[in-house]
Amino acid sequence: MEKIIEESKQGESLVLENKPENTKKLFIESYGCAMNFSDSEVVASILSTNGYNTTQKLEEADLVLVNTCSIRDKAEQTIRKRLEKYNAIKRINPKMKVGVLGCMAERLKSQFLEEEKIVDLVVGPDAYKDLPNLLNEVEEGRDAINVILSKEETYGDIAPVRLMSNGVTALVSITRGCDNMCTFCVVPFTRGRERSREPQSIMNEIQELQNNGYKEVTLLGQNVDSYLWYGGGLKKDFVNASEMQKATAVDFDQLLEMVAVGFPKMRIRFSTSNPQDMHESILHVIAKYPNICKHIHLPVQSGSNRILKEMNRLHTREEYMALIDKINSIIPNCAISQDMIAGFPTETEQDHKDTLKLMDYVKYSFGYMYSYSERPGTLAGRKMEDDVPEETKARRLQEIVDLQQAHARYRTEQYIGQTVEVLVEKVSKKSPNEFSGRNSQSITVVFPKENYKIGDFVNVLVERTTGATLIGKAIGLSEMN
């Protein structure tokens, strides 16, 4: 399981169109990976049909929910500070109820409810449909908790509301849970075993998005490449499926092709991939369809075989490099991005050098890089001593970041003089006279607005780069419009 933490989105609160018949107010904010933001949309949809409108004014909320992340200690500390803020307001407005959702809820359920008494309800990632019942429990003066992990729940029957961001791009969840037991990761314990969502419900959700003007979807899961629908149930139980179920099963390359063919005027992205599940058949589907974006997020975590084994990663350095070669051969214009951990227990200078050498081999377009922080409940947390000094971790992380920045500049400079297709997502942060969007390779492109609008697919001639961003001028609408 990999999680991409987009720092700019942390703590983003969700706002929906109000229903006049709803009388209660919900404040909900999200932390962590894209799955948490997607889950918040499901929660808001459930509560919208149970009397709640959203608000961005914390002080006027009847119910405050925070969707939480346990992947790093920093994320947990941030959420604890937010809970302190909620409780300070609750002393002024005692009717306000506070709840914790998501991964941290599962891990710290008794601590939050019984020991620290800082929340009224605790709801795990598979229990969101139980929220109305849990809120009734709270109203009757009882603590409410449901962190039971499901073998079946995919929320395929819930039409998520959408974060009112740009109305152009949306997340569509296709799997939940994870079967990979990476020693540094809490997700298998907080989100349960892997199961996939029924394909037609995915197609129906994307159809609704298209009807509402969305131009791009990201198929989302802890491990999308291992998507497997055979009628419901856990991925690990597929071995016990009937011959008919096995014959009619849908895997990820089939789902990806279904979406690409079904929605030729929508861009398709997906995240996150695991190297051992990125089969060649998926690469050929990406190469075949122009509306599937040419970007693969392919976390590696370390370039050292010894550390990969300690992490229980199910690939070697050599297997990963062979996969990179295959991607470059089948999809020559594909961008590859990474997740990397610096300072995993027992990591030596040679292990670190192996990581830098691997980065030199791949030359990633961009990446998400962290120093190791021990997570309680993980195998590494239970069995391994966090023995790399913090100053060593910081220095190694900085070397990784510096090298990644050099590689990002190298990759973006390849686009100077080229024309790229950009989906306009928003006004540029730096200038109200410019638009910002991404090309197929997920690299940000900025260009003068002229007469274009958000949601247009625009061909942009790249003139220069800042190292991470492409800057150019529009030369017309693309054929995707």
Side-chain angles (χ1 to χ4, degrees), residues 318-348:
E318 291 75 23
E319 287 167 341
Y320 187 89
M321 291 165 76
L323 178 55
I324 295 296
D325 292 343
K326 197 170 282 187
I327 293 170
N328 290 334
S329 170
I330 296 169
I331 321 166
N333 58 337
C334 190
I336 301 168
S337 54
Q338 47 87 347
D339 283 358
M340 205 75 75
I341 296 173
F344 190 78
T346 76
E347 184 186 72
T348 65

PDB file of all heavy atoms in Angstrom, residues 318-348:
ATOM      1  N   GLU A 318      16.167  -5.352  -8.925  1.00  0.00           N
ATOM      2  CA  GLU A 318      16.314  -5.774 -10.323  1.00  0.00           C
ATOM      3  C   GLU A 318      14.963  -5.926 -11.007  1.00  0.00           C
ATOM      4  O   GLU A 318      14.789  -5.533 -12.170  1.00  0.00           O
ATOM      5  CB  GLU A 318      17.098  -7.095 -10.393  1.00  0.00           C
ATOM      6  CG  GLU A 318      18.563  -6.986 -10.021  1.00  0.00           C
ATOM      7  CD  GLU A 318      18.789  -6.827  -8.504  1.00  0.00           C
ATOM      8  OE1 GLU A 318      17.894  -7.230  -7.717  1.00  0.00           O
ATOM      9  OE2 GLU A 318      19.855  -6.296  -8.121  1.00  0.00           O
ATOM     10  N   GLU A 319      13.981  -6.472 -10.287  1.00  0.00           N
ATOM     11  CA  GLU A 319      12.633  -6.617 -10.859  1.00  0.00           C
ATOM     12  C   GLU A 319      12.014  -5.247 -11.123  1.00  0.00           C
ATOM     13  O   GLU A 319      11.346  -5.039 -12.142  1.00  0.00           O
ATOM     14  CB  GLU A 319      11.750  -7.428  -9.909  1.00  0.00           C
ATOM     15  CG  GLU A 319      12.095  -8.905  -9.882  1.00  0.00           C
ATOM     16  CD  GLU A 319      11.454  -9.642  -8.730  1.00  0.00           C
ATOM     17  OE1 GLU A 319      11.039  -8.990  -7.732  1.00  0.00           O
ATOM     18  OE2 GLU A 319      11.382 -10.889  -8.795  1.00  0.00           O
ATOM     19  N   TYR A 320      12.247  -4.323 -10.208  1.00  0.00           N
ATOM     20  CA  TYR A 320      11.721  -2.968 -10.380  1.00  0.00           C
ATOM     21  C   TYR A 320      12.347  -2.301 -11.601  1.00  0.00           C
ATOM     22  O   TYR A 320      11.647  -1.696 -12.427  1.00  0.00           O
ATOM     23  CB  TYR A 320      11.998  -2.148  -9.118  1.00  0.00           C
ATOM     24  CG  TYR A 320      11.353  -0.782  -9.122  1.00  0.00           C
ATOM     25  CD1 TYR A 320      10.065  -0.588  -8.630  1.00  0.00           C
ATOM     26  CD2 TYR A 320      12.033   0.322  -9.632  1.00  0.00           C
ATOM     27  CE1 TYR A 320       9.480   0.666  -8.631  1.00  0.00           C
ATOM     28  CE2 TYR A 320      11.449   1.581  -9.642  1.00  0.00           C
ATOM     29  CZ  TYR A 320      10.172   1.749  -9.139  1.00  0.00           C
ATOM     30  OH  TYR A 320       9.584   2.994  -9.155  1.00  0.00           O
ATOM     31  N   MET A 321      13.656  -2.419 -11.748  1.00  0.00           N
ATOM     32  CA  MET A 321      14.343  -1.801 -12.885  1.00  0.00           C
ATOM     33  C   MET A 321      13.900  -2.439 -14.201  1.00  0.00           C
ATOM     34  O   MET A 321      13.741  -1.739 -15.210  1.00  0.00           O
ATOM     35  CB  MET A 321      15.856  -1.917 -12.696  1.00  0.00           C
ATOM     36  CG  MET A 321      16.375  -1.042 -11.559  1.00  0.00           C
ATOM     37  SD  MET A 321      18.039  -1.451 -11.000  1.00  0.00           S
ATOM     38  CE  MET A 321      19.016  -0.760 -12.320  1.00  0.00           C
ATOM     39  N   ALA A 322      13.656  -3.752 -14.190  1.00  0.00           N
ATOM     40  CA  ALA A 322      13.160  -4.424 -15.399  1.00  0.00           C
ATOM     41  C   ALA A 322      11.770  -3.899 -15.765  1.00  0.00           C
ATOM     42  O   ALA A 322      11.452  -3.736 -16.955  1.00  0.00           O
ATOM     43  CB  ALA A 322      13.123  -5.932 -15.181  1.00  0.00           C
ATOM     44  N   LEU A 323      10.950  -3.617 -14.748  1.00  0.00           N
ATOM     45  CA  LEU A 323       9.626  -3.055 -15.006  1.00  0.00           C
ATOM     46  C   LEU A 323       9.734  -1.645 -15.582  1.00  0.00           C
ATOM     47  O   LEU A 323       9.001  -1.283 -16.508  1.00  0.00           O
ATOM     48  CB  LEU A 323       8.806  -3.043 -13.708  1.00  0.00           C
ATOM     49  CG  LEU A 323       7.399  -2.448 -13.779  1.00  0.00           C
ATOM     50  CD1 LEU A 323       6.559  -3.115 -14.862  1.00  0.00           C
ATOM     51  CD2 LEU A 323       6.701  -2.554 -12.417  1.00  0.00           C
ATOM     52  N   ILE A 324      10.662  -0.858 -15.069  1.00  0.00           N
ATOM     53  CA  ILE A 324      10.901   0.484 -15.609  1.00  0.00           C
ATOM     54  C   ILE A 324      11.288   0.379 -17.090  1.00  0.00           C
ATOM     55  O   ILE A 324      10.783   1.134 -17.947  1.00  0.00           O
ATOM     56  CB  ILE A 324      12.010   1.208 -14.815  1.00  0.00           C
ATOM     57  CG1 ILE A 324      11.571   1.461 -13.367  1.00  0.00           C
ATOM     58  CG2 ILE A 324      12.404   2.520 -15.506  1.00  0.00           C
ATOM     59  CD1 ILE A 324      10.410   2.383 -13.185  1.00  0.00           C
ATOM     60  N   ASP A 325      12.173  -0.561 -17.419  1.00  0.00           N
ATOM     61  CA  ASP A 325      12.582  -0.764 -18.819  1.00  0.00           C
ATOM     62  C   ASP A 325      11.384  -1.110 -19.687  1.00  0.00           C
ATOM     63  O   ASP A 325      11.249  -0.621 -20.812  1.00  0.00           O
ATOM     64  CB  ASP A 325      13.623  -1.884 -18.910  1.00  0.00           C
ATOM     65  CG  ASP A 325      14.946  -1.501 -18.265  1.00  0.00           C
ATOM     66  OD1 ASP A 325      15.174  -0.297 -18.041  1.00  0.00           O
ATOM     67  OD2 ASP A 325      15.744  -2.421 -17.986  1.00  0.00           O
ATOM     68  N   LYS A 326      10.490  -1.941 -19.148  1.00  0.00           N
ATOM     69  CA  LYS A 326       9.311  -2.373 -19.904  1.00  0.00           C
ATOM     70  C   LYS A 326       8.361  -1.196 -20.140  1.00  0.00           C
ATOM     71  O   LYS A 326       7.815  -1.031 -21.237  1.00  0.00           O
ATOM     72  CB  LYS A 326       8.601  -3.490 -19.129  1.00  0.00           C
ATOM     73  CG  LYS A 326       7.623  -4.302 -19.956  1.00  0.00           C
ATOM     74  CD  LYS A 326       7.141  -5.528 -19.191  1.00  0.00           C
ATOM     75  CE  LYS A 326       8.162  -6.631 -19.205  1.00  0.00           C
ATOM     76  NZ  LYS A 326       7.661  -7.884 -18.604  1.00  0.00           N
ATOM     77  N   ILE A 327       8.171  -0.377 -19.113  1.00  0.00           N
ATOM     78  CA  ILE A 327       7.324   0.817 -19.258  1.00  0.00           C
ATOM     79  C   ILE A 327       7.897   1.729 -20.340  1.00  0.00           C
ATOM     80  O   ILE A 327       7.170   2.196 -21.231  1.00  0.00           O
ATOM     81  CB  ILE A 327       7.207   1.574 -17.916  1.00  0.00           C
ATOM     82  CG1 ILE A 327       6.430   0.747 -16.894  1.00  0.00           C
ATOM     83  CG2 ILE A 327       6.519   2.931 -18.126  1.00  0.00           C
ATOM     84  CD1 ILE A 327       6.469   1.305 -15.478  1.00  0.00           C
ATOM     85  N   ASN A 328       9.203   1.983 -20.272  1.00  0.00           N
ATOM     86  CA  ASN A 328       9.834   2.878 -21.249  1.00  0.00           C
ATOM     87  C   ASN A 328       9.749   2.320 -22.662  1.00  0.00           C
ATOM     88  O   ASN A 328       9.652   3.082 -23.629  1.00  0.00           O
ATOM     89  CB  ASN A 328      11.296   3.118 -20.869  1.00  0.00           C
ATOM     90  CG  ASN A 328      11.425   3.979 -19.616  1.00  0.00           C
ATOM     91  OD1 ASN A 328      10.532   4.771 -19.308  1.00  0.00           O
ATOM     92  ND2 ASN A 328      12.525   3.822 -18.897  1.00  0.00           N
ATOM     93  N   SER A 329       9.747   1.011 -22.785  1.00  0.00           N
ATOM     94  CA  SER A 329       9.667   0.373 -24.102  1.00  0.00           C
ATOM     95  C   SER A 329       8.253   0.437 -24.672  1.00  0.00           C
ATOM     96  O   SER A 329       8.057   0.750 -25.845  1.00  0.00           O
ATOM     97  CB  SER A 329      10.129  -1.084 -23.986  1.00  0.00           C
ATOM     98  OG  SER A 329       9.863  -1.795 -25.172  1.00  0.00           O
ATOM     99  N   ILE A 330       7.259   0.148 -23.825  1.00  0.00           N
ATOM    100  CA  ILE A 330       5.866   0.071 -24.300  1.00  0.00           C
ATOM    101  C   ILE A 330       5.215   1.449 -24.361  1.00  0.00           C
ATOM    102  O   ILE A 330       4.415   1.744 -25.257  1.00  0.00           O
ATOM    103  CB  ILE A 330       5.053  -0.888 -23.394  1.00  0.00           C
ATOM    104  CG1 ILE A 330       5.612  -2.315 -23.510  1.00  0.00           C
ATOM    105  CG2 ILE A 330       3.566  -0.870 -23.757  1.00  0.00           C
ATOM    106  CD1 ILE A 330       5.064  -3.288 -22.481  1.00  0.00           C
ATOM    107  N   ILE A 331       5.559   2.332 -23.393  1.00  0.00           N
ATOM    108  CA  ILE A 331       4.975   3.688 -23.331  1.00  0.00           C
ATOM    109  C   ILE A 331       6.134   4.681 -23.269  1.00  0.00           C
ATOM    110  O   ILE A 331       6.474   5.198 -22.189  1.00  0.00           O
ATOM    111  CB  ILE A 331       4.063   3.861 -22.092  1.00  0.00           C
ATOM    112  CG1 ILE A 331       3.236   2.605 -21.823  1.00  0.00           C
ATOM    113  CG2 ILE A 331       3.137   5.074 -22.254  1.00  0.00           C
ATOM    114  CD1 ILE A 331       2.584   2.572 -20.456  1.00  0.00           C
ATOM    115  N   PRO A 332       6.760   4.978 -24.386  1.00  0.00           N
ATOM    116  CA  PRO A 332       7.990   5.790 -24.371  1.00  0.00           C
ATOM    117  C   PRO A 332       7.845   7.169 -23.731  1.00  0.00           C
ATOM    118  O   PRO A 332       8.810   7.715 -23.201  1.00  0.00           O
ATOM    119  CB  PRO A 332       8.351   5.908 -25.857  1.00  0.00           C
ATOM    120  CG  PRO A 332       7.636   4.790 -26.529  1.00  0.00           C
ATOM    121  CD  PRO A 332       6.382   4.562 -25.745  1.00  0.00           C
ATOM    122  N   ASN A 333       6.651   7.742 -23.775  1.00  0.00           N
ATOM    123  CA  ASN A 333       6.458   9.097 -23.245  1.00  0.00           C
ATOM    124  C   ASN A 333       5.829   9.091 -21.855  1.00  0.00           C
ATOM    125  O   ASN A 333       5.193  10.063 -21.438  1.00  0.00           O
ATOM    126  CB  ASN A 333       5.578   9.918 -24.205  1.00  0.00           C
ATOM    127  CG  ASN A 333       4.216   9.257 -24.420  1.00  0.00           C
ATOM    128  OD1 ASN A 333       4.064   8.049 -24.226  1.00  0.00           O
ATOM    129  ND2 ASN A 333       3.233  10.040 -24.827  1.00  0.00           N
ATOM    130  N   CYS A 334       6.004   7.998 -21.115  1.00  0.00           N
ATOM    131  CA  CYS A 334       5.345   7.865 -19.812  1.00  0.00           C
ATOM    132  C   CYS A 334       6.182   8.492 -18.705  1.00  0.00           C
ATOM    133  O   CYS A 334       7.397   8.277 -18.618  1.00  0.00           O
ATOM    134  CB  CYS A 334       5.121   6.380 -19.499  1.00  0.00           C
ATOM    135  SG  CYS A 334       4.068   6.102 -18.060  1.00  0.00           S
ATOM    136  N   ALA A 335       5.526   9.279 -17.851  1.00  0.00           N
ATOM    137  CA  ALA A 335       6.181   9.807 -16.648  1.00  0.00           C
ATOM    138  C   ALA A 335       6.034   8.790 -15.528  1.00  0.00           C
ATOM    139  O   ALA A 335       4.994   8.135 -15.401  1.00  0.00           O
ATOM    140  CB  ALA A 335       5.545  11.133 -16.237  1.00  0.00           C
ATOM    141  N   ILE A 336       7.076   8.665 -14.722  1.00  0.00           N
ATOM    142  CA  ILE A 336       7.052   7.745 -13.584  1.00  0.00           C
ATOM    143  C   ILE A 336       7.377   8.557 -12.329  1.00  0.00           C
ATOM    144  O   ILE A 336       8.308   9.362 -12.326  1.00  0.00           O
ATOM    145  CB  ILE A 336       8.068   6.601 -13.773  1.00  0.00           C
ATOM    146  CG1 ILE A 336       7.751   5.825 -15.059  1.00  0.00           C
ATOM    147  CG2 ILE A 336       8.059   5.657 -12.570  1.00  0.00           C
ATOM    148  CD1 ILE A 336       8.845   4.878 -15.497  1.00  0.00           C
ATOM    149  N   SER A 337       6.587   8.354 -11.284  1.00  0.00           N
ATOM    150  CA  SER A 337       6.841   9.037 -10.017  1.00  0.00           C
ATOM    151  C   SER A 337       7.013   8.004  -8.913  1.00  0.00           C
ATOM    152  O   SER A 337       6.692   6.829  -9.085  1.00  0.00           O
ATOM    153  CB  SER A 337       5.710  10.019  -9.700  1.00  0.00           C
ATOM    154  OG  SER A 337       4.446   9.374  -9.726  1.00  0.00           O
ATOM    155  N   GLN A 338       7.532   8.474  -7.761  1.00  0.00           N
ATOM    156  CA  GLN A 338       7.928   7.532  -6.717  1.00  0.00           C
ATOM    157  C   GLN A 338       7.453   7.931  -5.329  1.00  0.00           C
ATOM    158  O   GLN A 338       7.105   9.076  -5.090  1.00  0.00           O
ATOM    159  CB  GLN A 338       9.462   7.390  -6.716  1.00  0.00           C
ATOM    160  CG  GLN A 338      10.227   8.719  -6.768  1.00  0.00           C
ATOM    161  CD  GLN A 338      10.500   9.390  -5.438  1.00  0.00           C
ATOM    162  OE1 GLN A 338       9.935   9.024  -4.430  1.00  0.00           O
ATOM    163  NE2 GLN A 338      11.342  10.408  -5.424  1.00  0.00           N
ATOM    164  N   ASP A 339       7.477   6.948  -4.413  1.00  0.00           N
ATOM    165  CA  ASP A 339       7.478   7.172  -2.975  1.00  0.00           C
ATOM    166  C   ASP A 339       8.812   6.638  -2.467  1.00  0.00           C
ATOM    167  O   ASP A 339       9.260   5.570  -2.895  1.00  0.00           O
ATOM    168  CB  ASP A 339       6.373   6.384  -2.269  1.00  0.00           C
ATOM    169  CG  ASP A 339       4.995   6.998  -2.413  1.00  0.00           C
ATOM    170  OD1 ASP A 339       4.889   8.063  -3.028  1.00  0.00           O
ATOM    171  OD2 ASP A 339       4.032   6.387  -1.919  1.00  0.00           O
ATOM    172  N   MET A 340       9.442   7.351  -1.526  1.00  0.00           N
ATOM    173  CA  MET A 340      10.742   6.919  -1.009  1.00  0.00           C
ATOM    174  C   MET A 340      10.813   7.194   0.491  1.00  0.00           C
ATOM    175  O   MET A 340      10.381   8.244   0.957  1.00  0.00           O
ATOM    176  CB  MET A 340      11.865   7.672  -1.730  1.00  0.00           C
ATOM    177  CG  MET A 340      13.189   6.963  -1.742  1.00  0.00           C
ATOM    178  SD  MET A 340      13.215   5.588  -2.905  1.00  0.00           S
ATOM    179  CE  MET A 340      13.352   6.454  -4.474  1.00  0.00           C
ATOM    180  N   ILE A 341      11.354   6.225   1.222  1.00  0.00           N
ATOM    181  CA  ILE A 341      11.544   6.373   2.667  1.00  0.00           C
ATOM    182  C   ILE A 341      13.036   6.397   2.958  1.00  0.00           C
ATOM    183  O   ILE A 341      13.771   5.485   2.573  1.00  0.00           O
ATOM    184  CB  ILE A 341      10.886   5.213   3.444  1.00  0.00           C
ATOM    185  CG1 ILE A 341       9.366   5.232   3.244  1.00  0.00           C
ATOM    186  CG2 ILE A 341      11.222   5.296   4.937  1.00  0.00           C
ATOM    187  CD1 ILE A 341       8.647   4.037   3.839  1.00  0.00           C
ATOM    188  N   ALA A 342      13.479   7.424   3.650  1.00  0.00           N
ATOM    189  CA  ALA A 342      14.885   7.531   4.064  1.00  0.00           C
ATOM    190  C   ALA A 342      15.016   7.109   5.519  1.00  0.00           C
ATOM    191  O   ALA A 342      14.182   7.472   6.352  1.00  0.00           O
ATOM    192  CB  ALA A 342      15.381   8.965   3.901  1.00  0.00           C
ATOM    193  N   GLY A 343      16.058   6.333   5.819  1.00  0.00           N
ATOM    194  CA  GLY A 343      16.349   6.006   7.203  1.00  0.00           C
ATOM    195  C   GLY A 343      15.509   4.906   7.808  1.00  0.00           C
ATOM    196  O   GLY A 343      15.261   4.898   9.022  1.00  0.00           O
ATOM    197  N   PHE A 344      15.077   3.932   6.985  1.00  0.00           N
ATOM    198  CA  PHE A 344      14.382   2.766   7.526  1.00  0.00           C
ATOM    199  C   PHE A 344      15.341   2.028   8.471  1.00  0.00           C
ATOM    200  O   PHE A 344      16.559   2.071   8.289  1.00  0.00           O
ATOM    201  CB  PHE A 344      13.943   1.848   6.380  1.00  0.00           C
ATOM    202  CG  PHE A 344      13.017   0.747   6.800  1.00  0.00           C
ATOM    203  CD1 PHE A 344      11.679   1.005   7.027  1.00  0.00           C
ATOM    204  CD2 PHE A 344      13.479  -0.557   6.981  1.00  0.00           C
ATOM    205  CE1 PHE A 344      10.815  -0.004   7.427  1.00  0.00           C
ATOM    206  CE2 PHE A 344      12.629  -1.567   7.380  1.00  0.00           C
ATOM    207  CZ  PHE A 344      11.291  -1.297   7.602  1.00  0.00           C
ATOM    208  N   PRO A 345      14.821   1.348   9.516  1.00  0.00           N
ATOM    209  CA  PRO A 345      15.695   0.661  10.463  1.00  0.00           C
ATOM    210  C   PRO A 345      16.771  -0.195   9.786  1.00  0.00           C
ATOM    211  O   PRO A 345      16.481  -0.892   8.815  1.00  0.00           O
ATOM    212  CB  PRO A 345      14.717  -0.215  11.255  1.00  0.00           C
ATOM    213  CG  PRO A 345      13.459   0.580  11.266  1.00  0.00           C
ATOM    214  CD  PRO A 345      13.397   1.236   9.913  1.00  0.00           C
ATOM    215  N   THR A 346      17.979  -0.078  10.304  1.00  0.00           N
ATOM    216  CA  THR A 346      19.203  -0.779   9.861  1.00  0.00           C
ATOM    217  C   THR A 346      19.771  -0.244   8.557  1.00  0.00           C
ATOM    218  O   THR A 346      20.778  -0.756   8.078  1.00  0.00           O
ATOM    219  CB  THR A 346      19.032  -2.314   9.734  1.00  0.00           C
ATOM    220  OG1 THR A 346      18.307  -2.631   8.534  1.00  0.00           O
ATOM    221  CG2 THR A 346      18.338  -2.916  10.950  1.00  0.00           C
ATOM    222  N   GLU A 347      19.177   0.807   7.966  1.00  0.00           N
ATOM    223  CA  GLU A 347      19.687   1.323   6.691  1.00  0.00           C
ATOM    224  C   GLU A 347      21.114   1.839   6.858  1.00  0.00           C
ATOM    225  O   GLU A 347      21.395   2.652   7.744  1.00  0.00           O
ATOM    226  CB  GLU A 347      18.788   2.447   6.175  1.00  0.00           C
ATOM    227  CG  GLU A 347      19.203   2.963   4.799  1.00  0.00           C
ATOM    228  CD  GLU A 347      18.386   4.172   4.357  1.00  0.00           C
ATOM    229  OE1 GLU A 347      18.587   5.276   4.933  1.00  0.00           O
ATOM    230  OE2 GLU A 347      17.534   4.004   3.471  1.00  0.00           O
ATOM    231  N   THR A 348      22.013   1.367   5.998  1.00  0.00           N
ATOM    232  CA  THR A 348      23.422   1.792   6.016  1.00  0.00           C
ATOM    233  C   THR A 348      23.664   2.842   4.937  1.00  0.00           C
ATOM    234  O   THR A 348      22.796   3.102   4.092  1.00  0.00           O
ATOM    235  CB  THR A 348      24.337   0.591   5.748  1.00  0.00           C
ATOM    236  OG1 THR A 348      24.086   0.120   4.411  1.00  0.00           O
ATOM    237  CG2 THR A 348      24.085  -0.539   6.741  1.00  0.00           C
TER     238      THR A 348
END
